[in-house]
Amino acid sequence: MPFVWTLVLLAAGLVLLVFLLIRALLEVRRFQRVQRSAAHDLADRRGMVKARVAGLKVAISQRRRG
């Protein structure tokens, strides 16, 4: 009968392992979603900074001419 407890513990360990793997995969997906969102936000901000710099260059060149 001691093998029954071994099988029960093995089954419980496998259930726990599957549960932890599922949670880890869900967290990885969530992290990837947040990472993509942050990358898009940074790209948008970088574009806005480039536009502002270009506008400042135009304003400065117009001021120097006039």
Side-chain angles (χ1 to χ4, degrees):
M1 281 302 209
F3 69 93
V4 173
W5 290 111
T6 303
L7 292 177
V8 168
L9 285 175
L10 183 63
L14 287 174
V15 168
L16 182 63
L17 180 64
V18 168
F19 174 74
L20 291 175
L21 283 173
I22 290 172
R23 282 190 53 110
L25 288 175
L26 290 175
E27 289 298 321
V28 166
R29 284 185 183 168
R30 181 175 165 224
F31 177 77
Q32 288 174 340
R33 221 174 23 244
V34 170
Q35 186 180 20
R36 275 192 302 267
S37 175
H40 289 301
D41 188 46
L42 279 174
D44 289 345
R45 290 175 188 246
R46 186 175 60 225
M48 290 298 293
V49 169
K50 283 183 178 181
R52 287 180 183 171
V53 167
L56 284 172
K57 286 181 180 180
V58 169
I60 290 170
S61 69
Q62 287 176 350
R63 211 153 189 213
R64 286 186 181 164
R65 278 190 265 148

